[in-house]
Amino acid sequence: MFNPSRDEARRFFIESWQKHQAAAPLTDLELMTVGVLLRHPEYHPFLSLDYLDRDWPPEFGETNPFLHVSMHLAIEEQLSIDQPAGVRALHRALCEKLGDEHAALHAMTEGLAEMIWQAQRQGMPPDPDRYLDVLRALVGAPTSTGG
């Protein structure tokens, strides 16, 4: 999945879940996806083509399950290659501070969302330093701006 469309990504998640339920062989990326989905049983009802076109407007306080899973997968990839540099150590520190890896991953999704939102708002590329600063602030470490 290299730069998939919204529908392609959603179909991939749905198909991965269906393969898991059928005990069919899974690729590494499908295994990673199913691992995220298993930690989110609240999203299981949405893993059907009936929800392919549904929107979850944040102004209504709804979480888009497909976006949430995508962010988890992005963070899994970041951690596997430690990019941006230092994210793996910040993840470990968040796990220690929060006492729960899944809670740490959710805190990281907030930082990732902040970076993406700021980039879109400013019409600029995402700034990994902003993301790392959010994570540093969460663990109580000094930020690049001295905060």
Side-chain angles (χ1 to χ4, degrees):
M1 280 189 4
F2 202 63
N3 199 23
S5 70
R6 181 187 90 157
D7 285 357
E8 289 168 335
R10 288 181 177 194
R11 283 181 195 278
F12 175 78
F13 298 153
I14 292 165
E15 289 168 6
S16 296
W17 185 247
Q18 289 171 341
K19 284 175 70 174
H20 165 72
Q21 288 184 309
L26 299 169
T27 66
D28 289 344
L29 184 55
E30 289 168 337
L31 280 169
M32 189 183 306
T33 300
V34 167
V36 171
L37 292 170
L38 287 170
R39 287 181 261 158
H40 287 283
E42 69 275 20
Y43 297 157
H44 296 176
F46 302 112
L47 296 171
S48 81
L49 294 176
D50 296 339
Y51 293 94
L52 197 60
D53 294 324
R54 176 160 175 205
D55 289 320
W56 283 267
E59 57 270 18
F60 297 135
E62 297 181 299
T63 298
N64 179 330
F66 298 105
L67 177 59
H68 187 85
V69 171
S70 295
M71 292 181 74
H72 265 285
L73 292 173
I75 291 168
E76 297 272 348
E77 177 68 11
Q78 292 170 353
L79 295 173
S80 75
I81 60 173
D82 196 30
Q83 285 297 318
V87 73
R88 192 180 294 148
L90 288 166
H91 169 256
R92 280 193 303 271
L94 268 173
C95 287
E96 288 176 26
K97 180 175 182 176
L98 300 176
D100 177 43
E101 183 187 17
H102 198 222
L105 291 171
H106 277 198
M108 293 177 76
T109 65
E110 295 297 321
L112 187 57
E114 170 71 17
M115 176 189 69
I116 293 167
W117 179 76
Q118 287 292 340
Q120 289 174 338
R121 192 174 77 117
Q122 296 170 358
M124 302 288 290
D127 180 1
D129 288 330
R130 179 180 296 276
Y131 174 48
L132 293 173
D133 275 347
V134 170
L135 300 183
R136 287 182 190 111
L138 288 171
V139 299
T143 64
S144 65
T145 58

